[in-house]
Every structure is written in structure tokens, then in C-alpha cells.
Amino acid sequence: DRVGGGVVECLSASGLWLPYVKVGDVAETTDEARDLGGRVLLEPREGPEGWRSVVAAPDGTEVAFWQQKNGR
């Protein structure tokens, strides 16, 4: 229903753009991506605002999955 964005500091040799996709269940979506041939780069983990994971497609394209905590 809207587009958002943010900037975080990470230990990368160069700049990195990583699209996030809002999902209903990060763990389930991450498992589905793995079953479809994706490589999980970051297992689901909780942060202050929600849960996220990062998956790479077989061609190396990366995407992050995001599940916002309830009430936010």
C-alpha cells in the first residue's frame, strides 16, 4: 500500500541496494525460497521493528523478506 526505504550501515566493500519485500511470515517465506532453489544468506532474525531474512536466487540476485511486528 506504500513504498518505504531506509539506510543502514554494513560491512560491504561497495555500495549495496537491497530490495525488501513485506511478507506475512518471514520463516515460512524463507523456507519456500530455499525449496525453490534460493540460497539463504541471512536466516530469519528478529530486530526491534520486525523480522528479516536475505535470500539469493540461483542467478545471484538478492532480496530481503520483511515481517513487521504486530501493531506497527
Side-chain angles (χ1 to χ4, degrees):
D1 59 347
R2 69 183 182 91
V3 175
V7 177
V8 297
E9 184 178 344
C10 66
L11 300 175
S12 177
S14 62
L16 172 69
W17 289 97
L18 181 63
Y20 275 69
V21 177
K22 187 176 180 180
V23 298
D25 186 313
V26 164
E28 182 179 301
T29 304
T30 302
D31 286 342
E32 288 177 20
R34 186 186 343 255
D35 291 346
L36 291 169
R39 185 169 43 100
V40 178
L41 304 176
L42 177 70
E43 291 288 344
R45 67 171 52 173
E46 183 178 4
E49 299 296 322
W51 295 266
R52 69 185 174 113
S53 68
V54 180
V55 176
D59 69 359
T61 305
E62 297 178 12
V63 65
F65 298 126
W66 170 253
Q67 177 185 349
Q68 193 167 0
K69 288 188 176 178
N70 291 334
R72 297 188 180 184

